[in-house]
Amino acid sequence: MSVKRTLWTTTVVFFGYNKPACFVFRVEIDMKDSQRRSTREDGRKQLLLVMKPELIREIKTAALQADKHTYELIEEVLTEYLERERSAGTL
């Protein structure tokens, strides 16, 4: 099944010497059910986290200092935590 989804619609007005011209742009894409979510080549999926701004700033700073992407740093820390909890038998 194909679904059409409008990504955005915008109106642009150009003012020229003679008279203004108005254009309306509408971008639509065809999406199959299997394509509704964008997929990354590395297989990762998106996760929304809500954190204190100070913590976010510290995480980003630590990632920059480690020359890593923020998601890589968070993955490493959480993977280590989960492995530690599994080995301790608390998970």
Side-chain angles (χ1 to χ4, degrees):
M1 177 178 159
S2 182
V3 176
K4 278 203 174 187
R5 185 177 113 198
T6 301
L7 293 180
W8 50 265
T9 302
T10 188
T11 303
V12 179
V13 179
F14 296 99
F15 293 96
Y17 292 108
N18 297 333
K19 57 185 174 182
C22 182
F23 301 95
V24 176
F25 298 96
R26 184 182 193 121
V27 176
E28 292 184 351
I29 58 170
D30 286 331
M31 297 176 64
K32 295 181 182 173
D33 289 336
S34 60
Q35 296 173 328
R36 287 182 185 249
R37 298 264 182 217
S38 61
T39 55
R40 292 174 50 115
E41 291 179 12
D42 59 10
R44 287 182 171 90
K45 293 185 179 183
Q46 187 175 9
L47 170 68
L48 173 66
L49 299 173
V50 179
M51 293 187 234
K52 295 177 182 176
E54 310 85 48
L55 180 59
I56 294 170
R57 213 171 4 264
E58 288 183 41
I59 292 170
K60 288 182 176 184
T61 301
L64 281 171
Q65 291 172 346
D67 195 29
K68 297 179 181 185
H69 291 279
T70 306
Y71 70 86
E72 292 172 322
L73 179 68
I74 293 172
E75 273 184 355
E76 284 180 19
V77 170
L78 290 176
T79 300
E80 290 173 12
Y81 168 78
L82 291 172
E83 287 173 357
R84 202 170 45 245
E85 293 297 311
R86 280 189 207 106
S87 66
T90 55
L91 277 183

